[in-house]
Amino acid sequence: MIHENRAEKFRQIVENKFQIYNSLFMSLPYDKMTNIGMLLPFLYEESKTGYEAGKTPEEIVEEFFTSHTDLKTEDQKLELLFKIIQYIERQVVLFDSIEDAAFPSLHSENDNGTVGNMYEKAINNHQLDKVREKLEDFNVKVVFTAHPTQFYPNSVQKIIHDLRAAITADSITQIDTLLQQLGKTPFVNKEKPTPIDEALSIITYLRFVYYETVGDLFTKIKKTFNNENFQLHEDIIQLGFWPGGDRDGNPFVTAEVTKKVAYELRSAILKSYYNHLKFVRRRLSFRDVSEILKDLSEILYDAIFKENDISSEQILNKIDEAEDILIKHHNGLFLDILYSFKDRVKIFGTHFATLDIRQDSRVHQQVIDEVYSKLFPNQEVDNKTKYSKLIEVSEKVNADNFQDIVKDTLETVSQITEIQKQNGWRGMNRYIISNSDDVKDVMNVYAFFKICGYKENDIKMDIVPLFETMEGLANAESVMTALYSHPVYKKHIGNRGNQQTIMLGFSDGTKDGGYLKANWEIYKAKEVLTTISEKNGIKVIFFDGRGGPPARGGGKTHDFYASQGKTIANNKIELTIQGQTITSIFGNKEQASFNFEQLLSAGVENDVFKSSKKDLTEKERILISELADSSYKKYSDLKAHQMFVPYLQEMSTLQYYGKTNIGSRPSKRGSGNELKFEDLRAIPFVGSWAQLKQNVPGFFGFGFAMNKLKENGRFNEIKELYAGSDFFKTLVLNSMMSMNKTYFPLTYYIKNNPKFGEFWTILFDEYQLSRDIMLELTGFKMLQEEDPLSRKSVKIREKIVLPLLSIQQYALMKIQKGEGNKEAYEKLVTRSLFGNINASRNSA
């Protein structure tokens, strides 16, 4: 009944509003676009009926030109197609804004996974004290990355913000004006953003969304669970930051950039305090209190604009002075306002968000090799000997004696102390190592600190291995076992409070091992790492590299974390978010608060409200392993197919990602011209499948594995697994989400392609098999039947972008045939990426 009511409400306040406001486009004074609104429905119908009849995108677009226009020349046709793309881009923005504005009406403060719901559940289960106890020793950390999946320039994002507000107020006049502005505002960056541009873009969210959201949520939790013994710690909701610190594959992130971004983060939080303090001072205008707050305001001003030193302790001391007088002499009037300000200072310090450093282990090895050969010339030794001898070096190595990446790496490590002094120790406190699969990968980073002059007790940084490939995950147990017993590293962990963060990467894991295998290997790795960490007296924290779609580890986040049983350490929930996931899931106060609460409640539920469905039985584990191995074999065979990389290179948008100017980082790791699978970055890899509407990494091999058991008369075992395991059920539902955003009719024409027809058929057959067997398993009549709001949203979005997909495929076909204006068709492909990705939101 709740689902039905919400579905009806969605129809009323999202679908109907979109129809009404969409009609405004028809009368807007767009240059050369006045007739697009009338032509677009025809292209949609030609596409819908054409694909069902087996027509090619080229046939569909050409028939559209013939039947509905009088255009003759290629230039005229190309101009119309570009205008249609611009029109659809703006339709997507309108739908995004309408859906976001409807969020508070479609979700209740007592929905499953909210703080209110958690409190009710605690009361009903007589577990209130246990929930309080868990909240005192638990936190959630969301880490913002600069991965290139955000296609809206800042100017467009600001219009979206204003449009959402106008839609909430149902102001037709304002909506009309903003749509006019949208029509004349470029959606494309002329140049690639710099890492600092990326950082400033996300810092805008920190200042105008998260400062208020996190602070208010902290107050809400404190009030909801308040009693005299409950002490909520300020780190319960944490923010992490990668732009400007993540140099993995990004040559534009340098030591100077990292230092600049750290400064911008500090400046942003001090500005937030300064503005907040204006409101506090308006209320606390009492004798002696106002003087203290005025003094604090001047201190903040000087720290911002004169760059004076300031610490969070200094700010808190001033607040404490004001609090003392307020209680003693002014009856504590407006004390809650002062507490709200004080809580934010405790939460955000002078750092706002913790800036991480990340680099690839192979780059680290290159640095170690060069430094070693400089310090110990003509000595051929193994890697272990290199880092062991460098750790013993007593003199600081001069970075100026090296060039390029070596010099920059040493400068980056050397300036950490300065950044920690400026932003507080929470401003920067960990170094993440991509592609970790060996002890040397961690010890090399420890060696960096020693050769940069740090004493053992001065290394106030966590060293975080990122196990992401199948090989890395397989080696995780032996690597961490060796590290925990390594005398040097053991002492370092002791200095860090016997706490170890371990990052597990879904994106590259899924690319490497396929959907089911990657998820299962990460689950098992967490279990093993939990066991060995506890055995060594180490508090382990798992950091998940979760992207937007299931193919990059995303999907239903609350369900994912709530499904993990007691065999996995549950000290903290930490994950990455990026691109549209920032704007669509955490983009405004209501959505951000709801999703922070979902994460928090998932962690609490795992420890307090235990369910037998969360702990896998031995029989279930054996079955999942069997399915994972079978799906991995199927996916590995696909990767090994001689057409795998050529198909992506020639038939998809893969090579166009680097031309979109949406991110500072190159779209592949290697520098050579030859495209190799291992050099493919996960985002363009997954995104290219999404542009083809095939979403292969989100399902391939899953259906094959289940069907193999079904053919052996064992389908009942899978049904029992689905009914009995929250973990497996979540995997199935997330995979179905990927398939619901799949539309193979778009590429039916490829089955007749002499080069790629056989390969396309392999993909299509596996999609059909996976879809059918998952529907049979779940008893659903349609994909995402259990989530009508998402299903309806996807349906509308897919309808909006179908003409866009036709244009993209039309352009690709022209390029493949070598017909017409190649440069113009390539621009069409690139431009169509924008609207398609934005419409899909979490399919980037």
Side-chain angles (χ1 to χ4, degrees), residues 22-162:
N22 192 37
S23 65
L24 293 174
F25 280 109
M26 303 283 282
S27 58
L28 293 179
Y30 288 169
D31 297 337
K32 301 180 182 180
M33 288 178 66
T34 51
N35 64 334
I36 301 299
M38 292 178 285
L39 286 174
L40 196 52
F42 293 116
L43 181 54
Y44 170 76
E45 284 300 325
E46 291 282 1
S47 299
K48 186 173 181 292
T49 57
Y51 290 128
E52 289 171 357
K55 292 181 180 178
T56 69
E58 187 175 20
E59 290 170 336
I60 287 167
V61 174
E62 292 295 355
E63 285 179 19
F64 163 72
F65 285 135
T66 303
S67 303
H68 303 288
T69 76
D70 57 2
L71 304 178
K72 303 297 181 185
T73 69
E74 183 182 47
D75 286 346
Q76 290 174 326
K77 292 176 181 179
L78 284 167
E79 183 181 21
L80 177 61
L81 294 180
F82 276 114
K83 295 300 179 186
I84 289 174
I85 289 173
Q86 291 174 25
Y87 194 92
I88 292 172
E89 284 174 340
R90 286 149 180 82
Q91 281 187 312
V92 172
V93 168
L94 176 62
F95 186 75
D96 282 348
S97 301
I98 291 170
E99 194 170 36
D100 290 347
F103 187 89
S105 300
L106 294 169
H107 296 85
S108 160
E109 284 208 354
N110 290 312
D111 277 0
N112 186 42
T114 60
V115 167
N117 175 261
M118 182 165 52
Y119 180 77
E120 287 181 12
K121 197 179 286 188
I123 292 289
N124 294 335
N125 288 276
H126 309 291
Q127 300 276 29
L128 194 54
D129 286 340
K130 283 193 174 182
V131 171
R132 287 193 181 109
E133 186 182 338
K134 182 62 182 176
L135 288 171
E136 288 176 353
D137 188 37
F138 186 74
N139 45 38
V140 166
K141 186 171 186 177
V142 168
V143 179
F144 302 97
T145 77
H147 292 171
T149 61
Q150 175 53 265
F151 284 70
Y152 293 135
N154 284 344
S155 56
V156 174
Q157 289 186 51
K158 289 170 183 173
I159 297 173
I160 292 172
H161 180 271
D162 294 340

Side-chain angles (χ1 to χ4, degrees), residues 58 69 101 161 167 193 196 365 403 441 454 477 561 650 694 781 813 832 838:
E58 187 175 20
T69 76
H161 180 271
I167 290 165
I196 291 175
Q365 191 59 54
Q403 294 182 331
D441 298 329
Y454 287 79
E477 179 181 7
Y561 284 110
E650 296 179 38
Q694 293 176 353
K781 293 182 176 62
M813 292 182 78
S832 60
N838 286 329

Side-chain angles (χ1 to χ4, degrees), residues 690-691 693 801 804-805 808 832-840:
Q691 292 283 319
K693 287 296 165 187
V801 299
L804 197 66
L805 294 167
Q808 185 181 88
S832 60
L833 275 164
F834 292 74
N836 191 15
I837 286 288
N838 286 329
S840 301

Side-chain angles (χ1 to χ4, degrees), residues 531-594:
T531 300
I532 64 169
S533 297
E534 290 176 351
K535 183 179 176 182
N536 285 275
I538 305 297
K539 182 179 181 180
V540 67
I541 290 165
F542 294 119
F543 176 17
D544 292 312
R546 287 169 62 82
R552 286 213 323 276
K556 299 174 186 296
T557 303
H558 173 269
D559 293 346
F560 169 80
Y561 284 110
S563 71
Q564 296 184 160
K566 63 177 180 288
T567 54
I568 293 175
N570 184 37
N571 299 309
K572 182 177 187 176
I573 285 178
E574 183 167 1
L575 71 159
T576 57
I577 62 167
Q578 65 248 351
Q580 298 93 308
T581 316
I582 297 175
T583 54
S584 65
I585 306 298
F586 293 88
N588 59 60
K589 183 181 175 183
E590 292 81 10
Q591 289 171 307
S593 182
F594 181 84

